[in-house]
Amino acid sequence: MKIEIWSDFACPFCYIGKHHLEQAIGSRTDIEVEFKSFELDPQTAIHHDENIHELIAKKYGMSYEQAYENNQRIIQMAAEAGLTFNFDQMKTTNTFNAHRLTQFAKTKGKGNEFAEAALHEYFSNGAFLNDETTLLSIATSVGLAEQEVLEVIRSETYDTEVRNDEEQARQLDITSVPFFLIDGKYAVSGAQPVTAFQSVLAQVDEKNQREKPIILNTDESVPHCDDDHCAIL
């Protein structure tokens, strides 16, 4: 089973939904998870003078107090998922460079590890995801080579890979994240609870079992090929 997750580093529900999915997967080793790039606001500035509460209030046309209370509810939801969110230290920024580094990390088999580390640093530790030193520290913490990471940060490499993920999202009519696509045909949207993910995985398992080829003849004495050789018996 393969699960593709369209997600953004600025999306708190993406991090929560990711952890809910991981809890639903548990110790299963037959599921491949791939992080896909999605920018909620590609035009957002790298630096902001306002804090996250002020930005949310301005964006959604609410009072500072309403924005603060809403963020407190998200913090509680994160805590229930086993995560620690620190909105007061959060440094809102453009996430394109973090997405580029994720695409690079995927080529080294470290895409999910980098995404997890970056989300943790952003939401829990107030990391600024457009600082070269910070991005380098996150990348090397998951085993990526320092010089290669610096070359990616200081260039425009992996721009195309980010845009390809976003174009695929447009083709699939994905307008909000997190968005989970299972085996290319089963979709789940939003930070669903663990039980919902467990139910979905069970349903997909059942469908995959039903869709296996039906063997009508088990006579292995006829010509066939296996891992070792091809034989005429």
Side-chain angles (χ1 to χ4, degrees), residues 11-53:
C11 168
F13 298 116
C14 291
Y15 196 14
I16 293 170
K18 174 179 179 294
H19 266 249
H20 284 173
L21 173 65
E22 290 169 347
Q23 290 173 43
I25 291 174
S27 60
R28 290 184 60 166
T29 59
D30 62 328
I31 298 178
E32 175 189 354
V33 177
E34 180 183 359
F35 183 99
K36 307 282 280 190
S37 296
F38 187 103
E39 296 171 275
L40 284 168
D41 185 1
Q43 306 306 318
T44 193
I46 291 177
H47 297 281
H48 294 270
D49 294 330
E50 305 97 329
N51 63 40
I52 186 63
H53 309 299

Side-chain angles (χ1 to χ4, degrees), residues 20-118:
H20 284 173
L21 173 65
E22 290 169 347
Q23 290 173 43
I25 291 174
S27 60
R28 290 184 60 166
T29 59
D30 62 328
I31 298 178
E32 175 189 354
V33 177
E34 180 183 359
F35 183 99
K36 307 282 280 190
S37 296
F38 187 103
E39 296 171 275
L40 284 168
D41 185 1
Q43 306 306 318
T44 193
I46 291 177
H47 297 281
H48 294 270
D49 294 330
E50 305 97 329
N51 63 40
I52 186 63
H53 309 299
E54 293 168 329
L55 289 170
I56 292 295
K58 180 188 296 184
K59 182 175 182 177
Y60 295 106
M62 59 178 67
S63 69
Y64 180 92
E65 290 72 23
Q66 289 172 317
Y68 182 86
E69 288 302 318
N70 184 64
N71 288 336
Q72 294 306 305
R73 287 191 288 271
I74 296 175
I75 289 171
Q76 180 58 39
M77 185 177 178
E80 292 169 358
L83 301 171
T84 301
F85 280 10
N86 190 335
F87 273 73
D88 292 335
Q89 291 186 7
M90 198 174 295
K91 298 177 179 64
T92 303
T93 188
N94 189 289
T95 59
F96 187 65
N97 282 328
H99 281 294
R100 288 197 309 111
L101 274 176
T102 307
Q103 296 292 339
F104 163 66
K106 285 163 69 171
T107 68
K108 305 295 184 181
K110 297 284 187 178
N112 294 335
E113 289 86 345
F114 176 81
E116 171 66 26

